Amino acid sequence: MKRLLTSVGVAVLAATASILVAVSPAEAAVGLHISGRNIVEANGQNFIMRGVNHEHVWFTGQTSSFADIKAAGANTVRVVLGSGKRWGPSNDVANVISLCKQNRMICVLEVHDTTGYGEDGAAASLDEAANYWISQKSVLVGQEDYVVINIGNEPIGNTDAGQWTAATVAAIQKMRTNGFQHLLMVDAPNWGQDWQYVMRDNAQTVLNADTQRNTVLSIHMYDVFNTATAIRDYLDRFQNNGWPLVIGEFGWQRSSSNVDDQTLIAEANARGLGYLGWSWAGNNDPYLDMTVNFDPAQLTTWGLRIFNGPNGIKATAKEATIFGGTPSPTASASPRPSASPSASASPRPSASPSTSPSPSVPPSPSGRGCTAAYSVVGQWPGGFQADVKVTAGASAITSWTVTWTYANGQTVTQAWSATVTSSGSAVTARNVSYNGSLSAGASTNFGFLGSWNGTNGIPAVTCTAS
Protein backbone atom coordinates (compact mmCIF):
# COMPACT_ATOMS: atom_id res chain seq x y z
CA MET A 1 0.00 0.00 0.00
CA LYS A 2 1.08 3.54 -0.69
CA ARG A 3 3.50 5.23 1.69
CA LEU A 4 4.70 8.78 1.04
CA LEU A 5 8.41 9.40 1.21
CA THR A 6 9.45 10.70 4.60
CA SER A 7 11.93 13.19 3.20
CA VAL A 8 11.10 16.03 0.86
CA GLY A 9 12.99 16.80 -2.30
CA VAL A 10 14.72 13.45 -2.65
CA ALA A 11 17.52 13.69 -5.18
CA VAL A 12 17.51 11.18 -7.97
CA LEU A 13 20.57 9.01 -7.62
CA ALA A 14 22.85 8.43 -10.56
CA ALA A 15 22.24 5.18 -12.39
CA THR A 16 24.93 2.59 -11.86
CA ALA A 17 26.12 0.12 -14.40
CA SER A 18 24.44 -3.26 -14.47
CA ILE A 19 25.66 -6.51 -15.92
CA LEU A 20 23.73 -7.28 -19.09
CA VAL A 21 22.94 -10.91 -18.39
CA ALA A 22 19.64 -12.30 -19.54
CA VAL A 23 17.58 -14.38 -17.14
CA SER A 24 17.43 -17.97 -18.33
CA PRO A 25 14.19 -19.92 -18.12
CA ALA A 26 13.64 -22.09 -15.07
CA GLU A 27 15.04 -25.48 -16.01
CA ALA A 28 12.82 -27.62 -13.84
CA ALA A 29 9.99 -25.25 -13.07
CA VAL A 30 6.53 -26.54 -12.38
CA GLY A 31 3.42 -24.44 -12.79
CA LEU A 32 3.79 -20.71 -13.36
CA HIS A 33 7.41 -19.83 -14.11
CA ILE A 34 9.76 -17.35 -15.75
CA SER A 35 10.88 -17.60 -19.36
CA GLY A 36 13.09 -14.67 -20.30
CA ARG A 37 11.08 -11.58 -19.30
CA ASN A 38 7.78 -13.41 -19.42
CA ILE A 39 5.65 -15.25 -16.92
CA VAL A 40 4.46 -18.46 -18.55
CA GLU A 41 2.20 -21.28 -17.46
CA ALA A 42 3.28 -24.91 -17.09
CA ASN A 43 2.32 -25.49 -20.74
CA GLY A 44 4.64 -22.68 -21.87
CA GLN A 45 1.83 -20.29 -22.76
CA ASN A 46 2.43 -16.66 -21.85
CA PHE A 47 0.47 -15.07 -19.00
CA ILE A 48 0.27 -11.33 -18.28
CA MET A 49 -1.26 -10.29 -14.97
CA ARG A 50 -4.15 -7.85 -15.18
CA GLY A 51 -5.78 -7.40 -11.82
CA VAL A 52 -6.11 -5.73 -8.46
CA ASN A 53 -5.18 -6.03 -4.82
CA HIS A 54 -7.73 -7.23 -2.27
CA GLU A 55 -7.29 -6.37 1.44
CA HIS A 56 -8.38 -9.79 2.64
CA VAL A 57 -6.59 -9.86 6.00
CA TRP A 58 -8.60 -6.86 7.24
CA PHE A 59 -11.88 -7.84 5.54
CA THR A 60 -12.01 -11.63 5.76
CA GLY A 61 -15.81 -11.60 5.42
CA GLN A 62 -15.67 -10.00 1.97
CA THR A 63 -15.28 -13.30 0.15
CA SER A 64 -17.77 -12.26 -2.55
CA SER A 65 -15.13 -9.76 -3.70
CA PHE A 66 -13.31 -12.58 -5.51
CA ALA A 67 -16.27 -13.15 -7.82
CA ASP A 68 -16.82 -9.40 -8.19
CA ILE A 69 -13.20 -8.78 -9.15
CA LYS A 70 -13.40 -11.54 -11.74
CA ALA A 71 -16.67 -10.17 -13.12
CA ALA A 72 -15.02 -6.77 -13.50
CA GLY A 73 -12.52 -8.37 -15.88
CA ALA A 74 -9.44 -9.31 -13.83
CA ASN A 75 -7.36 -12.41 -14.46
CA THR A 76 -5.30 -12.04 -11.26
CA VAL A 77 -5.94 -10.98 -7.67
CA ARG A 78 -3.18 -10.09 -5.21
CA VAL A 79 -4.43 -11.11 -1.78
CA VAL A 80 -3.25 -9.38 1.40
CA LEU A 81 -2.38 -11.84 4.17
CA GLY A 82 -0.82 -11.49 7.62
CA SER A 83 1.91 -13.59 9.23
CA GLY A 84 0.75 -12.85 12.76
CA LYS A 85 3.63 -10.48 13.54
CA ARG A 86 1.35 -7.52 12.93
CA TRP A 87 -1.82 -8.76 11.25
CA GLY A 88 -3.42 -12.17 11.13
CA PRO A 89 -2.13 -14.78 11.20
CA SER A 90 -3.90 -15.77 8.01
CA ASN A 91 -4.71 -19.43 8.44
CA ASP A 92 -7.35 -19.51 5.71
CA VAL A 93 -4.90 -19.75 2.80
CA ALA A 94 -6.49 -22.95 1.46
CA ASN A 95 -9.85 -21.19 1.25
CA VAL A 96 -8.32 -18.15 -0.41
CA ILE A 97 -6.73 -20.33 -3.07
CA SER A 98 -10.04 -22.12 -3.56
CA LEU A 99 -11.82 -18.79 -4.08
CA CYS A 100 -9.24 -17.75 -6.66
CA LYS A 101 -9.59 -21.04 -8.53
CA GLN A 102 -13.39 -21.04 -8.38
CA ASN A 103 -13.33 -17.61 -10.00
CA ARG A 104 -10.64 -18.52 -12.56
CA MET A 105 -8.03 -16.07 -11.38
CA ILE A 106 -4.34 -16.51 -10.66
CA CYS A 107 -3.69 -15.94 -6.96
CA VAL A 108 -0.77 -13.75 -5.85
CA LEU A 109 -0.45 -14.22 -2.09
CA GLU A 110 1.51 -11.62 -0.10
CA VAL A 111 2.51 -11.13 3.54
CA HIS A 112 1.78 -7.51 4.45
CA ASP A 113 3.51 -7.44 7.85
CA THR A 114 6.89 -6.69 6.25
CA THR A 115 5.77 -3.25 5.05
CA GLY A 116 8.45 -0.66 5.82
CA TYR A 117 10.81 -2.91 7.79
CA GLY A 118 13.76 -0.95 9.18
CA GLU A 119 11.72 2.23 9.35
CA ASP A 120 8.51 0.89 10.89
CA GLY A 121 9.35 -0.78 14.18
CA ALA A 122 6.25 -2.99 14.07
CA ALA A 123 7.14 -4.55 10.72
CA ALA A 124 8.24 -8.14 10.24
CA SER A 125 11.47 -9.12 8.50
CA LEU A 126 11.59 -11.02 5.24
CA ASP A 127 13.00 -13.96 7.17
CA GLU A 128 9.91 -13.94 9.38
CA ALA A 129 7.74 -13.79 6.27
CA ALA A 130 9.55 -16.83 4.85
CA ASN A 131 8.84 -18.67 8.11
CA TYR A 132 5.14 -17.91 7.68
CA TRP A 133 5.15 -19.41 4.18
CA ILE A 134 6.90 -22.49 5.54
CA SER A 135 4.13 -22.81 8.14
CA GLN A 136 1.59 -22.81 5.29
CA LYS A 137 3.53 -25.16 3.03
CA SER A 138 1.06 -28.02 3.26
CA VAL A 139 -1.70 -26.00 1.56
CA LEU A 140 0.63 -24.36 -0.97
CA VAL A 141 2.43 -27.38 -2.39
CA GLY A 142 0.61 -28.65 -5.45
CA GLN A 143 -0.87 -25.23 -6.24
CA GLU A 144 2.05 -24.02 -8.39
CA ASP A 145 -0.21 -23.70 -11.46
CA TYR A 146 -2.44 -21.22 -9.64
CA VAL A 147 -0.38 -19.46 -6.97
CA VAL A 148 2.43 -16.90 -6.97
CA ILE A 149 4.09 -16.30 -3.59
CA ASN A 150 4.91 -12.61 -3.04
CA ILE A 151 7.29 -13.16 -0.11
CA GLY A 152 6.74 -9.83 1.64
CA ASN A 153 5.02 -6.54 0.84
CA GLU A 154 7.30 -3.46 0.53
CA PRO A 155 9.82 -5.20 2.77
CA ILE A 156 12.18 -2.30 3.50
CA GLY A 157 11.38 1.36 4.20
CA ASN A 158 13.60 4.35 3.48
CA THR A 159 16.04 3.61 6.34
CA ASP A 160 19.03 1.60 5.13
CA ALA A 161 17.31 0.50 1.93
CA GLY A 162 20.56 -1.21 0.92
CA GLN A 163 19.81 -4.10 3.28
CA TRP A 164 17.14 -5.19 0.81
CA THR A 165 19.51 -7.15 -1.41
CA ALA A 166 20.92 -9.51 1.22
CA ALA A 167 17.54 -9.91 2.94
CA THR A 168 15.79 -10.75 -0.34
CA VAL A 169 18.49 -13.19 -1.44
CA ALA A 170 18.29 -14.97 1.94
CA ALA A 171 14.49 -15.18 1.80
CA ILE A 172 14.48 -16.62 -1.72
CA GLN A 173 17.10 -19.20 -0.80
CA LYS A 174 15.22 -20.14 2.37
CA MET A 175 12.07 -20.74 0.32
CA ARG A 176 13.94 -22.94 -2.15
CA THR A 177 15.81 -24.84 0.57
CA ASN A 178 12.43 -25.66 2.10
CA GLY A 179 11.17 -27.14 -1.16
CA PHE A 180 8.97 -24.38 -2.63
CA GLN A 181 8.81 -24.55 -6.43
CA HIS A 182 6.35 -21.72 -6.88
CA LEU A 183 6.96 -18.58 -8.90
CA LEU A 184 8.26 -16.11 -6.30
CA MET A 185 7.62 -12.36 -6.41
CA VAL A 186 9.81 -9.88 -4.53
CA ASP A 187 8.89 -6.24 -3.85
CA ALA A 188 11.26 -3.29 -4.01
CA PRO A 189 12.50 -1.36 -0.95
CA ASN A 190 11.68 2.33 -0.24
CA TRP A 191 8.13 1.26 0.62
CA GLY A 192 8.03 -0.53 -2.72
CA GLN A 193 8.98 2.49 -4.87
CA ASP A 194 12.73 1.91 -5.24
CA TRP A 195 13.54 5.63 -5.51
CA GLN A 196 17.12 4.86 -4.41
CA TYR A 197 17.32 2.23 -7.16
CA VAL A 198 18.48 -0.57 -4.87
CA MET A 199 16.31 -3.16 -6.62
CA ARG A 200 17.08 -1.80 -10.05
CA ASP A 201 20.84 -1.89 -9.50
CA ASN A 202 20.92 -5.27 -7.73
CA ALA A 203 18.27 -7.08 -9.75
CA GLN A 204 20.67 -9.53 -11.37
CA THR A 205 22.14 -10.51 -8.02
CA VAL A 206 18.68 -11.30 -6.65
CA LEU A 207 17.55 -13.19 -9.74
CA ASN A 208 20.76 -15.24 -9.76
CA ALA A 209 20.18 -16.21 -6.11
CA ASP A 210 17.17 -18.29 -7.12
CA THR A 211 18.44 -21.75 -7.99
CA GLN A 212 15.28 -22.30 -10.04
CA ARG A 213 15.54 -18.96 -11.88
CA ASN A 214 11.90 -18.49 -11.04
CA THR A 215 11.58 -15.05 -9.43
CA VAL A 216 9.81 -11.95 -10.74
CA LEU A 217 10.60 -8.45 -9.45
CA SER A 218 7.79 -6.12 -8.40
CA ILE A 219 7.75 -2.30 -8.38
CA HIS A 220 5.05 -0.25 -6.63
CA MET A 221 4.36 3.01 -8.44
CA TYR A 222 2.88 5.94 -6.55
CA ASP A 223 3.98 9.58 -6.27
CA VAL A 224 7.62 8.91 -7.15
CA PHE A 225 6.37 8.03 -10.63
CA ASN A 226 4.22 11.08 -11.37
CA THR A 227 5.69 11.72 -14.83
CA ALA A 228 5.88 9.69 -18.00
CA THR A 229 9.65 10.14 -18.06
CA ALA A 230 10.11 8.62 -14.59
CA ILE A 231 7.98 5.61 -15.54
CA ARG A 232 9.65 4.99 -18.89
CA ASP A 233 13.19 5.44 -17.61
CA TYR A 234 12.60 2.89 -14.86
CA LEU A 235 10.89 0.33 -17.08
CA ASP A 236 13.52 0.74 -19.81
CA ARG A 237 16.30 -0.42 -17.49
CA PHE A 238 14.49 -3.68 -16.73
CA GLN A 239 13.52 -4.25 -20.33
CA ASN A 240 17.03 -3.55 -21.64
CA ASN A 241 18.44 -6.14 -19.23
CA GLY A 242 15.78 -8.75 -19.87
CA TRP A 243 14.64 -8.80 -16.24
CA PRO A 244 11.11 -10.05 -15.42
CA LEU A 245 9.01 -7.33 -13.79
CA VAL A 246 5.44 -6.78 -12.58
CA ILE A 247 3.89 -3.49 -11.44
CA GLY A 248 2.52 -4.90 -8.20
CA GLU A 249 0.72 -1.77 -6.90
CA PHE A 250 -0.24 1.66 -8.18
CA GLY A 251 -2.93 4.30 -7.81
CA TRP A 252 -4.19 7.00 -10.18
CA GLN A 253 -3.29 10.57 -11.01
CA ARG A 254 -5.85 12.39 -8.94
CA SER A 255 -3.51 15.41 -8.90
CA SER A 256 -0.29 16.25 -10.71
CA SER A 257 1.78 14.90 -7.81
CA ASN A 258 0.31 11.40 -8.09
CA VAL A 259 1.40 8.49 -10.27
CA ASP A 260 0.81 8.94 -14.02
CA ASP A 261 -1.48 5.92 -14.25
CA GLN A 262 -2.41 6.40 -17.89
CA THR A 263 1.20 6.25 -19.03
CA LEU A 264 1.81 3.37 -16.64
CA ILE A 265 -0.91 1.10 -18.00
CA ALA A 266 -0.18 2.08 -21.62
CA GLU A 267 3.50 1.27 -21.16
CA ALA A 268 2.69 -1.98 -19.37
CA ASN A 269 0.44 -3.00 -22.23
CA ALA A 270 3.02 -2.12 -24.87
CA ARG A 271 5.83 -3.93 -23.04
CA GLY A 272 3.89 -7.05 -22.01
CA LEU A 273 4.15 -6.29 -18.29
CA GLY A 274 1.61 -7.34 -15.68
CA TYR A 275 -0.03 -4.77 -13.42
CA LEU A 276 -2.09 -4.99 -10.22
CA GLY A 277 -3.79 -1.82 -9.01
CA TRP A 278 -4.31 -0.94 -5.33
CA SER A 279 -7.04 -1.73 -4.33
CA TRP A 280 -10.59 -3.09 -4.66
CA ALA A 281 -11.85 -1.38 -1.47
CA GLY A 282 -11.17 -0.78 2.22
CA ASN A 283 -9.00 2.35 2.18
CA ASN A 284 -11.83 4.87 2.64
CA ASP A 285 -9.86 7.00 0.20
CA PRO A 286 -11.04 7.81 -3.36
CA TYR A 287 -7.40 7.89 -4.47
CA LEU A 288 -7.04 4.20 -3.65
CA ASP A 289 -10.51 2.56 -3.59
CA MET A 290 -11.87 1.18 -6.86
CA THR A 291 -15.32 0.59 -5.43
CA VAL A 292 -17.53 2.22 -2.83
CA ASN A 293 -17.78 -0.13 0.16
CA PHE A 294 -16.94 -3.22 -1.92
CA ASP A 295 -19.99 -2.65 -4.15
CA PRO A 296 -19.12 -3.68 -7.74
CA ALA A 297 -22.03 -1.60 -9.01
CA GLN A 298 -20.38 1.55 -7.60
CA LEU A 299 -17.04 1.94 -9.33
CA THR A 300 -15.12 5.04 -8.32
CA THR A 301 -13.23 7.20 -10.80
CA TRP A 302 -10.19 5.03 -10.11
CA GLY A 303 -12.22 1.89 -10.68
CA LEU A 304 -13.53 3.19 -13.99
CA ARG A 305 -10.06 4.15 -15.14
CA ILE A 306 -8.38 0.83 -14.39
CA PHE A 307 -11.20 -1.46 -15.49
CA ASN A 308 -12.80 0.44 -18.37
CA GLY A 309 -10.19 2.94 -19.51
CA PRO A 310 -7.84 2.68 -22.51
CA ASN A 311 -5.35 -0.18 -21.97
CA GLY A 312 -7.37 -1.10 -18.87
CA ILE A 313 -8.17 -4.51 -17.48
CA LYS A 314 -11.28 -5.24 -19.55
CA ALA A 315 -9.51 -4.34 -22.76
CA THR A 316 -6.31 -6.29 -22.17
CA ALA A 317 -6.81 -9.13 -19.66
CA LYS A 318 -6.53 -12.72 -20.90
CA GLU A 319 -7.70 -15.50 -18.63
CA ALA A 320 -5.02 -18.08 -17.81
CA THR A 321 -5.08 -21.07 -20.14
CA ILE A 322 -5.32 -23.44 -17.17
CA PHE A 323 -8.85 -22.04 -16.75
CA GLY A 324 -9.57 -22.34 -20.48
CA GLY A 325 -8.45 -18.87 -21.54
CA THR A 326 -6.30 -17.80 -24.47
CA PRO A 327 -2.57 -17.04 -24.14
CA SER A 328 -1.42 -13.50 -23.40
CA PRO A 329 0.84 -11.85 -26.00
CA THR A 330 4.57 -12.40 -25.57
CA ALA A 331 6.72 -9.47 -24.48
CA SER A 332 9.27 -8.38 -27.05
CA ALA A 333 12.92 -8.81 -26.12
CA SER A 334 13.98 -5.44 -27.50
CA PRO A 335 13.32 -2.07 -25.84
CA ARG A 336 10.24 -0.15 -26.85
CA PRO A 337 10.95 3.13 -28.64
CA SER A 338 10.09 6.18 -26.56
CA ALA A 339 6.77 7.87 -27.27
CA SER A 340 5.43 11.23 -26.27
CA PRO A 341 4.51 11.50 -22.56
CA SER A 342 0.79 11.32 -23.17
CA ALA A 343 0.68 8.95 -26.10
CA SER A 344 -1.50 5.87 -25.93
CA ALA A 345 0.91 3.00 -26.37
CA SER A 346 -1.27 0.74 -28.48
CA PRO A 347 -4.75 0.59 -29.97
CA ARG A 348 -7.41 -0.65 -27.60
CA PRO A 349 -9.26 -3.76 -28.76
CA SER A 350 -12.92 -3.04 -29.38
CA ALA A 351 -15.67 -4.94 -27.62
CA SER A 352 -18.88 -5.94 -29.37
CA PRO A 353 -20.45 -4.22 -31.21
CA SER A 354 -17.50 -2.91 -33.18
CA THR A 355 -18.26 0.56 -34.53
CA SER A 356 -16.16 2.55 -36.97
CA PRO A 357 -14.66 5.69 -35.47
CA SER A 358 -15.79 9.12 -36.55
CA PRO A 359 -12.80 11.34 -37.47
CA SER A 360 -12.80 15.05 -36.83
CA VAL A 361 -12.08 17.78 -39.35
CA PRO A 362 -8.45 18.16 -40.50
CA PRO A 363 -6.07 20.42 -38.53
CA SER A 364 -5.61 24.04 -39.43
CA PRO A 365 -3.08 24.90 -42.20
CA SER A 366 -0.63 26.17 -39.57
CA GLY A 367 -0.37 22.62 -38.23
CA ARG A 368 -1.18 23.73 -34.66
CA GLY A 369 -4.31 21.68 -34.59
CA CYS A 370 -5.62 18.23 -33.79
CA THR A 371 -7.98 15.52 -34.93
CA ALA A 372 -10.21 13.25 -32.88
CA ALA A 373 -11.78 9.86 -33.55
CA TYR A 374 -14.84 8.70 -31.57
CA SER A 375 -15.67 5.00 -31.30
CA VAL A 376 -18.05 2.87 -29.26
CA VAL A 377 -16.05 0.07 -27.62
CA GLY A 378 -18.84 -1.58 -25.66
CA GLN A 379 -22.64 -1.39 -25.60
CA TRP A 380 -25.43 -2.91 -23.53
CA PRO A 381 -29.15 -2.16 -23.05
CA GLY A 382 -29.37 1.47 -21.98
CA GLY A 383 -25.64 2.04 -21.67
CA PHE A 384 -22.39 2.18 -23.59
CA GLN A 385 -18.68 2.90 -23.32
CA ALA A 386 -16.88 5.15 -25.81
CA ASP A 387 -13.26 6.00 -26.50
CA VAL A 388 -11.94 9.15 -28.19
CA LYS A 389 -8.42 9.31 -29.63
CA VAL A 390 -6.94 12.80 -29.91
CA THR A 391 -3.98 13.30 -32.26
CA ALA A 392 -1.86 16.43 -32.58
CA GLY A 393 -1.26 17.93 -36.02
CA ALA A 394 2.03 18.88 -37.64
CA SER A 395 3.10 20.94 -34.61
CA ALA A 396 3.21 20.32 -30.88
CA ILE A 397 0.20 21.43 -28.87
CA THR A 398 -0.29 22.33 -25.20
CA SER A 399 -4.05 21.84 -24.88
CA TRP A 400 -6.99 20.42 -26.81
CA THR A 401 -10.79 20.56 -26.83
CA VAL A 402 -13.09 18.04 -28.50
CA THR A 403 -16.75 18.80 -29.13
CA TRP A 404 -19.69 16.90 -30.55
CA THR A 405 -23.48 16.97 -30.53
CA TYR A 406 -25.65 13.93 -29.96
CA ALA A 407 -28.56 13.46 -32.33
CA ASN A 408 -30.17 10.49 -30.60
CA GLY A 409 -30.55 11.54 -26.99
CA GLN A 410 -27.36 10.00 -25.62
CA THR A 411 -25.80 11.44 -22.47
CA VAL A 412 -22.37 11.16 -20.86
CA THR A 413 -22.54 9.81 -17.31
CA GLN A 414 -18.89 9.39 -16.26
CA ALA A 415 -15.56 10.19 -17.92
CA TRP A 416 -11.84 9.66 -17.38
CA SER A 417 -8.71 11.34 -18.77
CA ALA A 418 -10.74 14.41 -19.81
CA THR A 419 -13.01 17.02 -18.27
CA VAL A 420 -16.35 16.48 -19.95
CA THR A 421 -19.30 18.87 -19.71
CA SER A 422 -22.68 18.85 -21.44
CA SER A 423 -25.21 21.48 -22.38
CA GLY A 424 -28.28 19.75 -23.71
CA SER A 425 -27.09 17.50 -26.53
CA ALA A 426 -23.80 19.40 -26.98
CA VAL A 427 -20.75 17.85 -25.30
CA THR A 428 -17.34 19.41 -24.68
CA ALA A 429 -14.27 17.45 -23.55
CA ARG A 430 -11.08 19.23 -22.51
CA ASN A 431 -7.71 17.74 -21.64
CA VAL A 432 -6.69 17.25 -18.03
CA SER A 433 -3.35 18.26 -16.53
CA TYR A 434 -1.35 15.27 -17.70
CA ASN A 435 -2.45 14.81 -21.32
CA GLY A 436 -2.81 18.26 -22.87
CA SER A 437 0.74 18.59 -24.16
CA LEU A 438 1.34 16.43 -27.24
CA SER A 439 4.27 16.47 -29.61
CA ALA A 440 3.60 16.64 -33.34
CA GLY A 441 1.67 13.57 -34.47
CA ALA A 442 1.38 12.15 -30.94
CA SER A 443 -1.89 10.82 -29.54
CA THR A 444 -3.73 10.37 -26.28
CA ASN A 445 -7.09 8.85 -25.41
CA PHE A 446 -9.98 9.62 -23.12
CA GLY A 447 -13.05 7.59 -22.45
CA PHE A 448 -16.47 7.73 -20.88
CA LEU A 449 -19.62 5.86 -20.01
CA GLY A 450 -22.93 7.00 -21.42
CA SER A 451 -26.62 6.21 -21.64
CA TRP A 452 -28.70 5.76 -24.77
CA ASN A 453 -32.23 4.93 -25.77
CA GLY A 454 -33.24 3.98 -29.28
CA THR A 455 -30.19 4.57 -31.47
CA ASN A 456 -26.60 5.01 -30.39
CA GLY A 457 -25.23 6.65 -33.51
CA ILE A 458 -21.67 7.96 -33.88
CA PRO A 459 -21.60 11.78 -33.78
CA ALA A 460 -19.31 14.00 -35.83
CA VAL A 461 -16.50 15.35 -33.65
CA THR A 462 -14.38 18.49 -33.87
CA CYS A 463 -10.97 19.01 -32.28
CA THR A 464 -9.28 22.35 -31.65
CA ALA A 465 -5.87 22.92 -30.07
CA SER A 466 -3.56 25.63 -28.82
Side-chain angles (χ1 to χ4, degrees):
M1 189 167 67
K2 178 195 173 196
R3 166 68 182 248
L4 295 175
L5 297 178
T6 56
S7 59
V8 179
V10 176
V12 177
L13 301 183
T16 58
S18 297
I19 300 173
L20 300 178
V21 180
V23 179
S24 61
E27 295 180 0
V30 297
L32 293 158
H33 60 280
I34 297 298
S35 177
R37 291 177 54 229
N38 298 293
I39 294 173
V40 298
E41 298 185 64
N43 59 9
Q45 297 291 350
N46 201 46
F47 178 74
I48 299 176
M49 296 181 187
R50 288 286 182 268
V52 301
N53 289 264
H54 174 48
E55 300 178 9
H56 173 74
V57 71
W58 304 301
F59 302 95
T60 54
Q62 292 290 346
T63 54
S64 62
S65 292
F66 289 84
D68 294 337
I69 291 168
K70 174 64 178 182
N75 65 17
T76 306
V77 58
R78 181 172 180 256
V79 184
V80 179
L81 302 176
S83 69
K85 175 68 180 289
R86 190 169 188 180
W87 298 291
S90 296
N91 293 318
D92 58 348
V93 175
N95 187 52
V96 167
I97 295 172
S98 178
L99 287 166
C100 290
K101 292 166 70 173
Q102 288 171 25
N103 291 289
R104 307 190 313 281
M105 293 187 292
I106 295 301
C107 219
V108 177
L109 303 177
E110 61 103 338
V111 164
H112 214 75
D113 307 61
T114 55
T115 307
Y117 179 81
E119 186 174 346
D120 188 330
S125 67
L126 276 172
D127 186 66
E128 289 173 307
N131 289 338
Y132 166 76
W133 294 119
I134 293 167
S135 77
Q136 300 296 315
K137 183 179 176 182
S138 63
V139 297
L140 291 165
V141 170
Q143 301 300 325
E144 293 87 353
D145 285 330
Y146 308 96
V147 171
V148 178
I149 299 177
N150 190 173
I151 300 177
N153 181 70
E154 301 176 2
I156 309 291
N158 295 323
T159 303
D160 187 18
Q163 66 181 299
W164 176 87
T165 305
T168 302
V169 165
I172 290 171
Q173 293 178 341
K174 189 168 192 174
M175 297 288 287
R176 295 306 184 210
T177 300
N178 279 275
F180 287 90
Q181 294 184 294
H182 301 71
L183 172 59
L184 301 179
M185 183 183 292
V186 293
D187 287 4
N190 298 129
W191 301 88
Q193 298 202 73
D194 202 29
W195 60 265
Q196 291 179 301
Y197 301 144
V198 174
M199 184 173 82
R200 188 197 70 179
D201 295 340
N202 294 277
Q204 195 66 60
T205 297
V206 168
L207 295 173
N208 289 345
D210 185 353
T211 55
Q212 296 188 22
R213 296 296 191 271
N214 199 21
T215 295
V216 61
L217 305 161
S218 175
I219 182 66
H220 292 185
M221 289 186 164
Y222 291 102
D223 297 6
V224 169
F225 297 93
N226 68 329
T227 67
T229 298
I231 292 169
R232 291 195 179 110
D233 286 351
Y234 192 87
L235 298 182
D236 280 347
R237 177 62 68 94
F238 286 78
Q239 187 162 335
N240 290 342
N241 285 281
W243 295 329
L245 182 71
V246 167
I247 303 169
E249 285 187 22
F250 64 106
W252 65 284
Q253 197 160 44
R254 189 181 183 191
S255 70
S256 59
S257 66
N258 301 141
V259 59
D260 181 0
D261 62 301
Q262 295 303 290
T263 293
L264 186 159
I265 61 177
E267 289 292 323
N269 192 43
R271 298 167 188 261
L273 296 178
Y275 64 72
L276 303 167
W278 184 280
S279 70
W280 183 245
N283 304 281
N284 295 318
D285 183 346
Y287 173 55
L288 298 172
D289 283 336
M290 298 172 189
T291 63
V292 178
N293 296 324
F294 296 92
D295 183 355
Q298 296 188 71
L299 290 180
T300 63
T301 300
W302 174 211
L304 289 168
R305 288 165 78 101
I306 191 169
F307 285 108
N308 301 332
N311 298 296
I313 290 173
K314 282 186 178 178
T316 64
K318 300 288 186 182
E319 187 176 83
T321 61
I322 198 165
F323 298 122
T326 57
S328 299
T330 302
S332 62
S334 58
R336 175 180 178 270
S338 296
S340 66
S342 301
S344 175
S346 62
R348 184 178 181 217
S350 296
S352 180
S354 179
T355 311
S356 299
S358 170
S360 65
V361 296
S364 63
S366 68
R368 197 171 178 81
C370 58
T371 58
Y374 178 119
S375 59
V376 173
V377 297
Q379 183 170 294
W380 54 93
F384 70 99
Q385 180 182 332
D387 181 80
V388 180
K389 182 178 182 180
V390 178
T391 304
S395 298
I397 62 175
T398 58
S399 65
W400 48 261
T401 301
V402 177
T403 60
W404 66 89
T405 300
Y406 283 124
N408 308 112
Q410 302 101 314
T411 59
V412 174
T413 57
Q414 249 178 327
W416 52 91
S417 300
T419 301
V420 179
T421 58
S422 299
S423 178
S425 59
V427 181
T428 301
R430 294 182 173 86
N431 64 272
V432 289
S433 61
Y434 56 83
N435 64 0
S437 294
L438 298 175
S439 58
S443 300
T444 189
N445 292 66
F446 68 91
F448 58 89
L449 300 179
S451 62
W452 66 284
N453 186 12
T455 302
N456 189 21
I458 301 296
V461 293
T462 300
C463 187
T464 57
S466 61

